[in-house]
Amino acid sequence: MTAVIRCGLNDDALSEAVEKLRRGELVGLPTETVYGVAADATNAEAVARIFAAKDRPQFNPLIIHVASLAQAERHGVFDARARALAERFWPGPLTLVVPQTDSPEIARLATAGLDTIALRAPAHPIARAVIAAAKIPLAAPSANRSGSISPTSAADVANELGDRLGLILDGGRCEAGLESTVVGLIDDEAYLLRPGAMARDEIEDVIGPLATPVNEDAKRSPGLLTRHYAPRRARVRLDADSARPGEALLGFGALDWSTVNLSERGDLAEAASRLFAALRALDEAGYASIAVSPIPAHGLGEAIRDRLKRAAEFPVRESHESP
Ligand code: TXA
Ligand code: MG
């Protein structure tokens, strides 16, 4: 079966998506960060289908997408810091990991049996419309096979999971192009669990300094596998001044030449929004190696460098199999 792609702002497409979700089926849908594969988070079988579709071997906890802080507070305990961040940045590309409430309704599989829960209210109008109409929280990881690059267009989703989804809502290209920033607020320390589409400084302006988990503490963020975001064939070489013969150059800033430039004007937001699509395109063009210009580490550069580092660490993927 190949997925049907429908324009997501069309009323019929929206109601079809909502119907499928309520029946426990999977739907590919756009968010402002990347495309997600969504399921009813209160339905364990539906959630299990997500893991199967993605070939995700371990039951990593999923982000639960809600419409509002009020809906989020049914499932998670928001302290003053969590509430301040949600009030300031939701809807938007920020995921908050907080303790779960006593009667969370959420399928245990969605939170991998942890006593914490990751919640986010996405800003994309299609995601918002679907969540509002379905009246259920949606578990939605990025709509790629495990270990592969996150999709930033409906066509990317069809490429990754097309034979495993009945419906993909098309909302055009994702604006941010990088996954949400994940912040852990389960004890006195606030942790930056995953750098992402919202820069660290914006968050620190509201709640003060974010700690970095030592060695990406698996207990705090089990899904942060190193081998992630990897192209299928191409190697990735970081901080390159130029390309070697046969190599693609993924450029950043004013350059005489590059195969693809993430942002000629050196704009990190523009680079973030183009990153995954560029890696995908160069990989599909058959390059054995992709050299990447140095990307500054400040602002969104932190998340861009994080994804590139992960892509570089495991150069060759033989198949869709996960670690
Ligand atoms: O932008 C995004 O966040 C996208 C769109 C679709 O919303 N979703 C996404 O989901 O990136 P996923 O499943 O690919 O990443 C979820 C991240 C993982 O790093 C996971 O470990 C972390 O969130 N996470 C989820 N629940 C957690 C929890 N209870 N404690 C710690 N980390 C958690
Ligand atoms: Mg992902």
Side-chain angles (χ1 to χ4, degrees), residues 274-291:
R274 291 180 177 172
L275 177 68
F276 289 152
L279 284 175
R280 231 171 236 286
L282 294 176
D283 194 31
E284 273 157 24
Y287 288 99
S289 177
I290 302 170

Side-chain angles (χ1 to χ4, degrees), residues 1 8 28 40 43 53 58 73 109 128 139 153 164 181 184 186 220 235 240 248 256 278 298 318-319 321:
M1 178 184 62
D40 178 355
N43 176 338
Q58 298 127 314
E73 288 197 286
L109 184 56
R128 283 171 68 75
S153 73
R164 297 167 180 207
T181 301
I186 46 189
R220 290 187 184 281
R235 302 171 53 87
D256 289 339
H298 61 82
E318 299 296 345
S319 72
E321 277 165 40

Side-chain angles (χ1 to χ4, degrees), residues 122-201:
H124 196 290
I126 293 174
R128 283 171 68 75
V130 171
I131 295 167
K135 298 191 177 64
I136 41 176
L138 297 182
S142 49
N144 51 277
R145 301 217 185 176
S146 193
S148 176
I149 299 168
S150 292
T152 54
S153 73
D156 290 347
V157 180
N159 246 332
E160 288 283 330
L161 298 175
D163 56 345
R164 297 167 180 207
L165 301 179
L167 177 66
I168 300 169
L169 292 180
D170 188 353
R173 282 219 158 270
C174 298
E175 198 185 324
L178 273 185
E179 298 85 354
S180 61
T181 301
V182 181
V183 172
L185 297 167
I186 46 189
D187 53 38
D188 289 345
E189 195 89 78
Y191 285 97
L192 181 61
L193 297 179
R194 175 176 76 180
M198 176 154 290
R200 170 199 286 272
D201 350 341

Side-chain angles (χ1 to χ4, degrees), residues 287-307:
Y287 288 99
S289 177
I290 302 170
V292 188
S293 295
I295 311 279
H298 61 82
L300 290 180
E302 184 176 10
I304 297 172
R305 292 186 63 88
D306 171 78
R307 302 305 189 271

Side-chain angles (χ1 to χ4, degrees), residues 2-319:
T2 305
V4 176
I5 302 185
R6 292 206 202 294
C7 171
L9 273 175
N10 163 307
D11 283 349
D12 289 344
L14 280 181
S15 27
E16 195 181 334
V18 167
E19 227 169 85
K20 282 184 186 291
L21 288 166
R22 296 193 70 95
R23 280 204 304 261
E25 293 177 36
L26 304 183
V27 170
L29 98 184
T31 82
E32 73 279 23
T33 57
V34 299
Y35 274 73
V37 50
D40 178 355
T42 66
N43 176 338
E45 266 175 52
V47 173
R49 277 186 202 114
I50 291 183
F51 290 101
K54 283 180 62 88
D55 291 330
R56 195 143 147 168
Q58 298 127 314
F59 292 143
N60 296 327
L62 305 175
I63 296 172
I64 310 304
H65 296 67
V66 293
S68 62
L69 175 56
Q71 192 186 356
E73 288 197 286
R74 297 223 295 267
H75 310 297
V77 181
F78 282 63
D79 63 13
R81 300 167 304 177
R83 200 166 292 138
L85 288 176
E87 277 166 0
R88 175 83 178 74
F89 295 120
W90 281 4
L94 175 66
T95 295
L96 300 173
V97 175
V98 298
Q100 267 194 68
T101 56
D102 287 337
S103 54
E105 303 157 300
I106 304 292
R108 301 272 302 158
L109 184 56
T111 54
L114 298 174
D115 51 11
T116 56
I117 184 168
L119 290 153
R120 135 167 149 86
H124 196 290
I126 293 174
R128 283 171 68 75
V130 171
I131 295 167
K135 298 191 177 64
I136 41 176
L138 297 182
S142 49
N144 51 277
R145 301 217 185 176
S146 193
S148 176
I149 299 168
S150 292
T152 54
S153 73
D156 290 347
V157 180
N159 246 332
E160 288 283 330
L161 298 175
D163 56 345
R164 297 167 180 207
L165 301 179
L167 177 66
I168 300 169
L169 292 180
D170 188 353
R173 282 219 158 270
C174 298
E175 198 185 324
L178 273 185
E179 298 85 354
S180 61
T181 301
V182 181
V183 172
L185 297 167
I186 46 189
D187 53 38
D188 289 345
E189 195 89 78
Y191 285 97
L192 181 61
L193 297 179
R194 175 176 76 180
M198 176 154 290
R200 170 199 286 272
D201 350 341
E202 289 197 68
I203 298 159
E204 293 186 332
D205 281 350
V206 179
I207 59 163
L210 292 169
T212 305
V214 183
N215 294 333
E216 295 184 346
D217 188 326
K219 229 175 75 197
R220 290 187 184 281
S221 201
L224 275 184
L225 301 173
T226 309
R227 178 179 178 158
H228 230 93
Y229 313 102
R232 291 194 191 149
R233 289 173 292 269
R235 302 171 53 87
V236 174
R237 190 165 68 82
L238 302 180
D239 295 319
D241 291 327
S242 58
R244 295 171 185 158
E247 237 181 4
L249 180 62
L250 182 57
F252 178 82
L255 297 172
D256 289 339
W257 174 86
S258 61
T259 318
V260 174
N261 198 319
L262 289 172
S263 174
E264 278 166 33
R265 53 196 164 91
D267 179 315
L268 288 166
E270 182 174 54
S273 74
R274 291 180 177 172
L275 177 68
F276 289 152
L279 284 175
R280 231 171 236 286
L282 294 176
D283 194 31
E284 273 157 24
Y287 288 99
S289 177
I290 302 170
V292 188
S293 295
I295 311 279
H298 61 82
L300 290 180
E302 184 176 10
I304 297 172
R305 292 186 63 88
D306 171 78
R307 302 305 189 271
L308 285 168
K309 205 182 87 209
R310 288 167 199 279
E313 249 151 55
F314 289 88
V316 180
R317 273 168 46 86
E318 299 296 345
S319 72

